Structure formats: C-alpha cells, structure tokens
C-alpha cells in the first residue's frame, strides 16, 4: 500500500559491437607527455606552498597566543604579589 508504483520499463535490446583483436594499436599523434608531467609537478608545488603557508600561519598564531598568555601571567603575578605586600 505504501510502496511507490514504478513505471514499467520497456525492454531495451542490448547492442553488442565486435572489436577485432588482431589489429595493432593506433600510432600516437606524436605528442609528448612532458606538458602533462609539468602540470602535475606544478600542482604538487602549489599544494606544497599552500600547506607551508597554512602551517606557518598556525605556528605564528600559537606563538602569539603563548606570548599573550605569558604576559597575562606576569601581570597577574605582579598584581597578586603587590596585593600581598600591602
């Protein structure tokens, strides 16, 4: 009752093609693979640069956070020791 009614699909005859196996492969058009290798190397270099920039930014953020926490600790320490001396 709650199952959807799917339309009946007509039977499509399968098309078979005969591929001769005794022929040699077609000769290449004379293109070299060098441009494709260059594109791959360029893409890898771009990824390496982007990952390096991201990691450097993360390291800088951690360093700035550590310095700010250290400064806050020094200020709080001086406030606490100054309050105890009074």
């Amino acid at each position: 009752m709650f199952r959807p009614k799917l339309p009946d699909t007509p039977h499509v005859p399968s098309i078979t093609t005969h591929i001769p196996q005794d022929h040699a492969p077609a000769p290449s058009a004379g293109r070299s693979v060098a441009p494709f290798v260059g594109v791959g190397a360029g893409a890898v270099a771009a990824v390496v640069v982007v990952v390096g920039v991201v990691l450097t930014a993360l390291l800088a953020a951690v360093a700035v956070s550590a310095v700010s926490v250290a400064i806050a600790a020094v200020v709080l320490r001086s406030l606490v020791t100054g309050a105890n001396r009074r």
Side-chain angles (χ1 to χ4, degrees):
M1 178 177 173
F2 294 108
R3 289 183 160 176
K5 297 285 185 180
L6 299 175
D8 293 332
T9 57
H11 176 68
V12 179
S14 62
I15 300 172
T16 58
T17 58
H18 181 280
I19 300 173
Q21 299 295 327
D22 57 346
H23 293 290
S28 65
R31 294 183 183 176
S32 68
V33 186
F36 300 111
V37 172
V39 170
V44 169
V47 168
V48 168
V49 168
V50 168
V51 168
V53 167
V54 168
L55 290 178
T56 304
L58 288 173
L59 181 64
V62 169
V64 168
S65 299
V67 168
S68 65
V69 168
I71 290 173
V74 168
V75 169
L76 286 175
R77 182 178 174 190
S78 67
L79 288 175
V80 168
T81 57
N84 288 339
R85 290 182 185 174
R86 291 183 196 171

